Amino acid sequence: MACSGGGSGSGPAHESPKAHKSSTPHESPKARQAQRPQQDDPNLLRGFRHWLRTNDTRHDDALAGHTLHIGLDYRAGDRAGAVKVLTDYGPWSEAEGQVGPLAKAFTQWWDEDPAAASARFLGQGGKTAKQTTLYDGPKPSNLLEDFRSWTAENAPNGERLAPHLTALGIGYGFGHGTQGTGAITLSTDYLTYKDHNTQQNLDALGDAFADWWDGDKGAESVTVTSDDQGSHAGRRLTAP
């Protein structure tokens, strides 16, 4: 998955998390693609659950059923993104001991992808039961910073809009069909009651994100929100 980017509008701006899977982290995407006849599912939840059930190495198929939701979180100024994996383990007093095999399997599946540096595994009630390192190498990916840079260079009024982006989140749940079912949220520091142009700015950022995402199948929609949640703008990212 790639988006048009750069000052000329050509070349990839980002690669979707887990777009390629390899046991050699530093191989080029083309080399990885040549080794794998089928690209990973752009929906991370479906992809991980499918891997648990079909991977050649021994994994308990029941682990897939304990994985309910996968989210990616990117924030301005952070070095890399973070993954949040919601499970049904628990109650809380038991979740920490139960989640270990799933966390180990997820780290193996992630395979040092630079799209996220760490993962938190949540039990019932949303409390963190375990945290693991996913990638600590050079040149990590931060999709929010990538989009901010692209917006400043390519979008109308982009230099003014980009600094107001504060976070980018992608949530992956269950879905059907071949399209990705991720839902993206872009957060800003705009305050509706302070800036009468907030809605106009959010609309412009929604349009810019749809241009940057460029038909990528990793998500179906994006919502841009003000900091006080008083305004929002929504855009579809894939054809219905």
Side-chain angles (χ1 to χ4, degrees):
M1 289 181 359
C3 297
S4 59
S8 63
S10 62
H14 75 84
E15 184 172 279
S16 170
K18 306 307 298 174
H20 302 281
K21 188 72 169 59
S22 169
S23 59
T24 307
H26 302 297
E27 287 179 325
S28 70
K30 288 184 178 179
R32 300 178 192 177
Q33 183 75 359
Q35 290 180 7
R36 284 182 60 86
Q38 183 175 1
Q39 200 174 45
D40 284 345
D41 193 319
N43 180 303
L44 296 191
L45 177 62
R46 288 197 310 244
F48 177 53
R49 287 166 63 101
H50 180 264
W51 179 83
L52 283 170
R53 290 170 171 148
T54 62
N55 193 48
D56 291 338
T57 57
R58 185 174 181 179
H59 286 295
D60 182 0
D61 290 351
L63 292 178
H66 288 289
T67 312
L68 307 181
H69 187 273
I70 294 177
L72 278 162
D73 184 56
Y74 299 91
R75 297 188 178 275
D78 285 356
R79 180 173 182 267
V83 178
K84 182 170 62 178
V85 182
L86 178 63
T87 75
D88 64 0
Y89 288 119
W92 167 243
S93 59
E94 302 174 6
E96 187 172 351
Q98 295 171 332
V99 78
L102 189 148
K104 182 178 179 180
F106 187 89
T107 303
Q108 180 182 348
W109 172 73
W110 194 260
D111 196 24
E112 299 189 41
D113 190 311
S118 62
R120 289 191 298 123
F121 298 86
L122 313 181
Q124 294 177 15
K127 292 186 177 180
T128 299
K130 189 175 182 61
Q131 183 164 336
T132 64
T133 297
L134 299 177
Y135 178 78
D136 60 1
K139 298 182 179 179
S141 173
N142 185 319
L143 294 188
L144 176 64
E145 295 296 350
D146 290 348
F147 176 56
R148 281 166 59 119
S149 296
W150 184 92
T151 299
E153 294 179 7
N154 297 279
N157 299 313
E159 290 188 2
R160 175 177 60 82
L161 296 169
H164 292 278
L165 291 160
T166 58
L168 186 160
I170 312 178
Y172 296 94
F174 295 104
H176 304 282
T178 58
Q179 300 294 319
T181 54
I184 296 176
T185 300
L186 278 174
S187 302
T188 72
D189 61 6
Y190 288 114
L191 295 171
T192 303
Y193 70 93
K194 283 189 175 181
D195 189 339
H196 67 277
N197 290 320
T198 290
Q199 187 62 55
Q200 179 181 343
N201 294 330
L202 299 187
D203 286 335
L205 286 169
D207 290 340
F209 191 88
D211 288 342
W212 180 69
W213 199 252
D214 193 26
D216 191 316
K217 292 183 178 180
E220 289 185 337
S221 64
V222 61
T223 301
V224 191
T225 68
S226 61
D227 191 47
D228 57 0
Q229 302 295 309
S231 301
H232 72 276
R235 297 290 185 276
R236 286 197 62 86
L237 300 174
T238 57

